[in-house]
Amino acid sequence: EAGELDLALVKQTRGKGSPLASWREPLVWVDSRDWPARERDPLPLVAFPSEGLYRQQMTEALDGLGRRWRIAYVSASLASLQGAVSAGIGVSLLPKRLMPADQLALTQWPKVAPVELALHAGVSVSEPLTRLSAALIALCDEVMGPQ
């Protein structure tokens, strides 16, 4: 936001700033197929560290329902969070496109706002940055689907 970086590829709330390109990232509540945690009280949550986009949406949605919850597992690693959900440690809110086969989408749970992957550019412009931007946009289009 301060313009200190040449390029930044970040997850953010939708519609923030003026990115070069952005891709919608739908989120889904997930639970283990084999060891479900969704009926426990308080509900155990598997979450990124505090101040993360997903964690805030989880806790706000559950508070809005009056559902008791507790943080059962925290990691900055997506793979660790997926493993914790699959092992039955708790439920989480994660990108839909990355849901493993051993997890179940909780489709009747509260809707949450999708986030986006956004490519922001600083003020400096150069041919290498232009080429890198184009390559990142092409890669994200391939992985995430066109904008």
Side-chain angles (χ1 to χ4, degrees), residues 64-137:
L65 291 176
R67 179 84 190 257
R68 292 177 356 123
W69 56 268
R70 67 180 179 86
I71 301 295
Y73 182 85
V74 175
S75 177
S77 161
L78 175 63
S80 293
L81 296 181
Q82 289 173 317
V85 170
S86 295
I89 292 173
V91 302
S92 194
L93 185 64
L94 296 172
K96 184 177 183 177
R97 68 184 172 84
L98 300 176
M99 190 175 76
D102 62 354
Q103 292 179 9
L104 176 68
L106 303 175
T107 56
Q108 301 303 314
W109 282 48
K111 299 287 184 217
V112 293
V115 295
E116 67 184 5
L117 182 64
L119 180 63
H120 292 273
V123 293
S124 63
V125 178
S126 67
E127 185 179 336
L129 281 176
T130 301
R131 286 195 318 265
L132 180 56
S133 297
L136 285 170
I137 290 169

Side-chain angles (χ1 to χ4, degrees), residues 18-36:
S18 301
L20 292 175
S22 63
W23 300 267
R24 183 181 164 110
E25 179 80 282
L27 302 176
V28 65
W29 292 94
V30 292
D31 197 1
S32 173
R33 284 189 187 277
D34 297 328
W35 299 284

